[in-house]
Amino acid sequence: MCGIVGYTGPRNSVQPILEGLSRLEYRGYDSAGICLKINSKLEIVKKEGKLENLRAALTETNPSSHVGIGHTRWATHGAVNNDNAHPHGNDDFAVVHNGIIENAPVLKKQLQAEGWVFKSQTDSEVFLVLLTKFAKETGDTLKAMSKAFQTIQGNSAFVAMEKSTDRLFCVKRSAPLVCGLNPVTGEAFVSSDPFALIGYAPEIFFPQDGVIGCGSVKGHTASMDFFELDLTPSTRFTAQKNAMSMDATSKGHYEHFMLKEIHEQPALMEKLVAWAIKGEGLSTYSNLKGKAPEYFHITACGTAWHAGLVIKNFFERFNNVRCCVEIASEFRYREPILKKGEVGLFISQSGETADTLACQELCHEKGLPTYSIVNTQGSTLFRHCDQNFLIHAGMEIGVASTKAFTQQVLTGYLMSMGYAGKLATVEVYQEIKTLSDRVAAICEDAAAIKEIAEKLYHKKGFIFTGRGVYFPIALEGALKLKEIAYVHAEGYAAGELKHGPIALIDDNMVNIAVLGPELFEKALSNVEEVKARRGLIFAVGPKGHPELREVSDMYYELDFNGLPNLAPVMVNVVLQLLSYHIAKLKGTDIDKPRNLAKSVTVE
Ligand code: M6R
């Protein structure tokens, strides 16, 4: 979603701002802009499309300024065009925004009635106008930030700059925001993601909701001050060293991050299990023994929700714990029944997904302990939960989540084994090792999967089917294909086909049938039903089943031996590679598919 980078300090701010924004490109955006203070004037340049367009425009004029704010916009209110791109500015202030101002329509009408003029269709400009109005009334930018923030509703992060000083101002509610300092160079930064600040700001600060940050530079000294909304000094922020590294940001010899991330999976699985069973994670996991809650409320979005559906099987089977897995955007608004003895478990790669965060807040308010299965240490979810289970996937750059899914499922499995007191057993270690070896072999066999992709990529639509624990794999396979190849794909429980979707089957519709050893005969009958209606079948299933080979047009055989619990992860890797190759044949933007954001920070 929207990326924000602000800078104040001795160097030309264009360089750190553009570099920071380019690091946030992977999150998805549709326009980019920058505001620079030049000769005591706020100069704004905005360009629809890629950051390159903005960079090209700046190259022409080669501006220089010691203070600036930059933004990559993922449109919510108003079309994608230069007017709606951020920053929004006037003679006195410029503002960038990530989030949604829910009462913007009402406020805009009121402000227009007072004579204020708007240049864009965005909700964000309402904050600019409020800031300007309150600054005129109070003569104090900090007061104006506070008043403007208290006037708006909804979850947002704002960064503002002013003509009259070189200060940066920021404030947020349930949206990511980080401030940074480099005490050696005397520079201050604000961003939506600490990743943008690696190498620039060794000291970072996470202000809490409703805390106003103010970055300023005096002589060679930069400072970051925090204030409550009543403008008294605030201590409601976390200070830490920026421990992130740039290692993950190279594609190496891979053509796409997605492919690199698929190939990283075998090593990551082994790293995770070693960390949990033999390393630093051991105490976290072994402390779970005998402490399983009565009920897990699992909430997540997208791929993380699919991981939750797989994990539910582990908690039910090995821990006898009832478990409900819900889409976060539904759970948060349906007044769920939450009781003592139950636990809220939130799954997220980014730890910044707005709906998932809202569910955590809801469970926390109702007194439930909250746990996360999360990738990003220091993310909002990580900071808000009582206990975190890190998935150790490293940074995931491809918008299509691959390695995070695998590590999320494995983390859920390790938790389940921890509760059951079976964590440090040869069986658990061996199964993950076997999984890692099999996934490595699948990655090596990419040519075979590519060949299948060549036969399928021009087809009209895809129905992925699975039963039991393979149903979430069917959902995940369909999600991956639609998001990166832009084709219609649905995931269905195989037994549901005949209740409606079978009407879609014809010789231009592909059934990607996922079968495991459990419920094999039942799933096979579902494949037969599709065959009888001339559907094209690509089956991914256990080896040694000539009857499946016979009924399928294409068959990818897998060895399920030694994987009594984790075979779904192996099957999923075949589907990841299939989607990747179909998307490649279609020529889509695999790592940054259209309309998508890596981290969905608005609801
Ligand atoms: O960062 P999160 O895991 O919370 O993100 C959740 C979803 O937005 C994410 O999984 C999304 O569905 C991916 N694009 C799927 O590949």
Side-chain angles (χ1 to χ4, degrees):
M1 299 240 112
C2 304
I4 293 176
V5 183
Y7 173 91
T8 182
R11 78 172 100 179
N12 183 358
S13 59
V14 175
Q15 190 276 329
I17 291 173
L18 287 185
E19 168 63 22
L21 291 180
S22 80
R23 291 186 196 171
L24 304 185
E25 274 191 289
Y26 77 99
R27 287 165 155 255
Y29 67 101
D30 39 51
S31 51
I34 194 166
C35 177
L36 303 166
K37 200 179 114 181
I38 300 171
N39 300 329
S40 300
K41 271 181 153 179
L42 299 181
E43 303 280 357
I44 294 178
V45 184
K46 310 197 271 193
K47 287 286 164 204
E48 187 183 328
K50 296 285 175 200
L51 188 60
E52 260 333 290
N53 301 349
L54 177 67
R55 202 186 289 276
L58 291 171
T59 310
E60 276 172 27
T61 53
N62 199 16
S64 179
S65 165
H66 296 297
V67 54
I69 51 178
H71 188 265
T72 45
R73 172 179 188 242
W74 190 86
T76 57
H77 288 58
V80 177
N81 59 36
N82 288 352
D83 286 343
N84 291 336
H86 299 213
H88 296 284
N90 52 33
D91 286 347
D92 299 315
F93 293 99
V95 164
V96 291
H97 169 219
N98 175 12
I100 292 177
I101 302 177
E102 286 170 356
N103 54 344
V106 179
L107 293 172
K108 189 168 175 176
K109 269 201 189 116
Q110 287 169 3
L111 291 163
Q112 280 170 327
E114 290 172 24
W116 293 92
V117 177
F118 286 77
K119 295 184 238 167
S120 76
Q121 286 94 49
T122 63
D123 54 341
S124 315
E125 199 182 354
V126 169
F127 190 85
L128 170 76
V129 173
L130 287 171
L131 177 66
T132 313
K133 170 184 148 95
F134 292 135
K136 280 200 176 10
E137 285 170 14
T138 61
D140 180 334
T141 305
L142 269 177
K143 270 188 198 154
M145 276 297 281
S146 169
K147 281 186 91 172
F149 183 70
Q150 291 179 73
T151 309
I152 60 112
Q153 289 163 9
N155 298 333
S156 290
F158 299 97
V159 178
M161 61 186 281
E162 61 186 350
K163 183 181 74 174
S164 55
T165 74
D166 283 357
R167 292 182 297 176
L168 294 175
F169 303 87
C170 62
V171 66
K172 65 118 190 172
R173 184 184 299 124
S174 294
L177 188 69
V178 58
C179 302
L181 269 186
N182 189 330
V184 177
T185 55
E187 297 170 297
F189 303 81
V190 182
S191 181
S192 50
D193 188 332
F195 182 51
L197 306 186
I198 300 172
Y200 290 107
E203 293 177 10
I204 53 174
F205 310 87
F206 293 98
Q208 291 180 23
D209 285 356
V211 172
I212 301 177
C214 177
S216 59
V217 176
K218 274 199 193 96
H220 296 297
T221 311
S223 40
M224 192 52 81
D225 300 302
F226 295 100
F227 302 91
E228 293 297 331
L229 292 174
D230 62 7
L231 303 190
T232 54
S234 176
T235 51
R236 288 192 305 119
F237 62 88
T238 321
Q240 63 188 62
K241 298 276 173 228
N242 195 351
M244 292 177 96
S245 95
M246 293 293 291
D247 293 355
T249 57
S250 147
K251 281 192 270 208
H253 62 277
Y254 294 97
E255 196 178 341
H256 295 97
F257 279 109
M258 180 181 178
L259 191 62
K260 177 184 174 229
E261 287 160 4
I262 291 172
H263 280 254
E264 280 171 10
Q265 293 176 110
L268 289 172
M269 292 172 193
E270 294 195 28
K271 198 174 140 202
L272 177 65
V273 71
W275 178 80
I277 295 185
K278 300 176 184 164
E280 267 176 62
L282 181 61
S283 61
T284 310
Y285 283 98
S286 39
N287 272 341
L288 297 176
K289 187 175 174 184
K291 294 184 194 149
E294 282 168 26
Y295 196 107
F296 266 119
H297 294 274
I298 302 184
T299 55
C301 302
T303 288
W305 175 60
H306 299 152
L309 292 169
V310 178
I311 292 169
K312 169 188 164 88
N313 289 272
F314 302 140
F315 289 146
E316 289 181 348
R317 200 179 327 153
F318 299 115
N319 312 115
N320 201 26
V321 170
R322 281 176 306 121
C323 191
C324 180
V325 188
E326 289 189 63
I327 294 171
S329 55
E330 292 296 317
F331 181 88
R332 65 181 290 192
Y333 289 117
R334 70 167 188 80
E335 297 182 23
I337 300 163
L338 304 171
K339 294 185 182 163
K340 201 163 175 271
E342 301 178 344
V343 163
L345 175 61
F346 311 93
I347 308 177
S348 176
Q349 187 285 127
S350 61
E352 299 294 352
T353 301
D355 285 316
T356 308
L357 292 176
C359 295
Q360 186 279 335
E361 205 177 312
L362 177 70
C363 289
H364 176 72
E365 275 167 12
K366 298 277 178 185
L368 263 59
T370 58
Y371 298 176
S372 80
I373 293 181
V374 68
N375 194 29
T376 312
Q377 196 164 5
S379 60
T380 309
L381 187 65
F382 181 92
R383 283 181 279 120
H384 288 188
C385 279
D386 300 309
Q387 188 161 2
N388 296 294
F389 296 86
L390 283 166
I391 66 170
H392 291 287
M395 195 160 170
E396 193 180 58
I397 300 221
V399 164
S401 192
T402 52
K403 60 178 181 172
F405 174 86
T406 294
Q407 299 293 96
Q408 285 160 350
V409 171
L410 292 192
T411 302
Y413 180 60
L414 291 169
M415 284 176 73
S416 168
M417 291 298 108
Y419 283 123
K422 291 183 184 161
L423 182 73
T425 58
V426 178
E427 287 78 10
V428 172
Y429 187 80
Q430 192 49 50
E431 183 167 8
I432 295 183
K433 177 77 185 85
T434 304
L435 179 68
S436 158
D437 292 344
R438 301 265 164 85
V439 168
I442 293 168
C443 290
E444 288 301 305
D445 196 30
I449 299 172
K450 194 173 157 210
E451 217 170 277
I452 292 166
E454 277 160 4
K455 293 185 182 145
L456 298 180
Y457 80 98
H458 55 282
K459 292 289 171 186
K460 169 183 80 178
F462 296 78
I463 298 189
F464 288 70
T465 51
R467 278 180 174 262
V469 77
Y470 295 95
F471 170 42
I473 299 303
L475 291 172
E476 173 60 8
L479 175 65
K480 216 83 317 174
L481 185 60
K482 72 183 111 184
E483 71 180 330
I484 62 166
Y486 315 153
V487 289
H488 188 218
E490 294 289 341
Y492 260 95
E496 272 289 295
L497 266 195
K498 54 175 124 3
H499 297 283
I502 204 161
L504 294 170
I505 300 293
D506 62 18
D507 54 7
N508 215 2
M509 180 63 88
V510 184
N511 174 207
I512 303 202
V514 180
L515 298 90
E518 314 95 40
L519 300 169
F520 179 82
E521 306 302 334
K522 305 259 176 226
L524 182 64
S525 326
N526 300 130
V527 176
E528 303 270 10
E529 288 160 8
V530 173
K531 193 71 205 163
R533 285 152 187 91
R534 294 184 296 114
L536 192 71
I537 293 156
F538 170 38
V540 185
K543 69 177 183 189
H545 283 281
E547 67 281 33
L548 181 56
R549 177 174 292 283
E550 204 167 302
V551 75
S552 312
D553 298 282
M554 287 147 271
Y555 181 25
Y556 196 88
E557 275 189 334
L558 290 164
D559 181 0
F560 283 65
N561 284 324
L563 295 174
N565 309 303
L566 298 175
V569 174
M570 167 178 75
V571 175
N572 187 53
V573 175
V574 177
L575 303 187
Q576 291 173 348
L577 284 165
L578 180 73
S579 294
Y580 173 80
H581 286 294
I582 291 181
K584 205 174 153 205
L585 288 160
K586 287 186 156 282
T588 58
D589 190 350
I590 293 182
D591 284 332
K592 287 180 239 154
R594 69 184 181 202
N595 304 338
L596 293 181
K598 180 66 186 162
S599 161
V600 182
T601 51
V602 294
E603 65 169 296

